[in-house]
Amino acid sequence: MSQQLRSSLALQGVRLFEGLPPARLDALAQACRWRTLPAGRLLVQRAERESDVHFVISGELRVTIFALNGRQLTFREVGAGGQFGELAAIDGEPRSADVLTLRPSVVASLRAADFLALMREEPVVTERVLRGLCRLVRSVSERVIDLSTLGVQNRVHAELLRLAREAGCQNNRARLDPAPTHSEMASRISTNREQVTRELNALQARGLLVKEGRALLLHDVDQLARMVAEVRGASAVQPEAS
């Protein structure tokens, strides 16, 4: 099997490209730059003027910011099938965050000009990009509100609820496996590891959270949702069953 064919097949796993005809995937595979990266590699640096759009074929990367004082604020993780870099490709501005590999990863990178041409020629891709940007704006808005208005305890609860909904809730329970480390969670909610540890221990003491090896089991997602909604001043939203 040729490298070109392997690349074309790999692009079928990218959600943005679902349903595109084989000829289009072949052309995209040839236009992409393919890289295999070790864990801990910085792929995108904040403020640099590089505008490729990057597609994750395998592995996982983290979108984050490293402050001058060494503090890290994490926005999201991007796994296989996802992509990042659309903002710089669309508006031509410098990168707004750092992106580094969490695990060994394969990434296919497409030049901004080729990505914009794809959006013009494939309306379904454009719609998916717009929906993704809408989700991003909503997520960032919620994050700003939480960081501005909630205490550390409530931010831990809100982050656990977000992770539970991402993992999928069933019978009012959710399993985070593997769960983020306390340091990773702290970087997501702008606090320190010790405070996260204290709040997770408090939830375990209440019976809402159980640690099972590298996993965390949330026993009452509805209760967690009510706790978060109460401090946000919003109605609790029932988690969807998976």
Side-chain angles (χ1 to χ4, degrees):
M1 183 182 293
S2 69
Q3 180 63 41
Q4 176 184 334
L5 182 55
R6 288 199 298 271
S7 301
S8 301
L9 291 175
L11 287 181
Q12 291 181 7
V14 176
R15 291 184 292 275
L16 193 66
F17 299 151
E18 287 180 1
L20 293 186
R24 171 65 76 180
L25 290 178
D26 287 340
L28 287 171
Q30 294 180 59
C32 282
R33 179 162 58 114
W34 295 78
R35 282 174 286 179
T36 299
L37 304 169
R41 174 68 60 84
L42 186 65
L43 179 62
V44 170
Q45 189 168 7
R46 186 185 181 199
E48 72 175 336
R49 287 194 171 276
E50 181 268 333
S51 56
D52 288 358
V53 180
H54 305 284
F55 306 98
V56 184
I57 306 304
S58 64
E60 187 177 25
L61 295 94
R62 172 171 292 160
V63 182
T64 189
I65 287 178
F66 294 98
L68 291 177
N69 62 6
R71 194 166 187 176
Q72 182 180 6
L73 178 60
T74 296
F75 294 105
R76 61 188 176 112
E77 280 78 38
V78 184
Q83 83 278 340
F84 57 91
E86 304 97 315
L87 290 180
I90 291 171
D91 66 11
E93 294 297 315
R95 294 296 189 184
S96 58
D98 303 296
V99 183
L100 73 158
T101 56
L102 293 179
R103 296 185 283 138
S105 304
V106 176
V107 176
S109 303
L110 188 65
R111 293 183 309 165
D114 293 328
F115 181 73
L116 295 175
L118 176 66
M119 290 182 62
R120 287 192 294 268
E121 296 164 7
E122 298 286 354
V124 66
V125 171
T126 302
E127 181 178 345
R128 289 168 181 166
V129 170
L130 290 175
R131 288 182 179 275
L133 293 178
C134 287
R135 287 192 299 271
L136 180 61
V137 169
R138 291 181 185 276
S139 174
V140 171
S141 296
E142 187 173 88
R143 177 73 63 89
V144 169
I145 292 171
D146 285 351
L147 292 177
S148 302
T149 63
L150 302 186
V152 172
Q153 177 187 42
N154 306 127
R155 297 205 302 273
V156 170
H157 298 167
E159 180 63 15
L160 280 175
L161 181 62
R162 184 187 70 81
L163 292 170
R165 287 171 171 165
E166 282 187 357
C169 305
Q170 197 168 34
N171 298 324
N172 197 27
R173 294 187 175 195
R175 183 180 180 85
L176 311 181
D177 189 10
T181 67
H182 295 188
S183 294
E184 289 171 343
M185 186 172 290
S187 74
R188 294 173 182 170
I189 62 174
S190 190
T191 186
N192 57 60
R193 179 178 58 81
E194 291 74 18
Q195 289 179 302
V196 170
T197 299
R198 182 163 52 249
E199 297 307 330
L200 293 182
N201 287 341
L203 290 174
Q204 290 184 66
R206 294 177 59 178
L208 295 178
L209 188 67
V210 174
K211 184 173 177 58
E212 296 181 348
R214 297 181 60 195
L216 288 177
L217 179 63
L218 289 164
H219 276 296
D220 193 339
V221 179
D222 289 350
Q223 174 63 21
L224 188 63
R226 286 191 291 270
M227 292 163 59
V228 173
E230 182 177 351
V231 295
R232 281 179 173 166
S235 300
V237 179
Q238 297 297 321
E240 297 180 1
S242 60

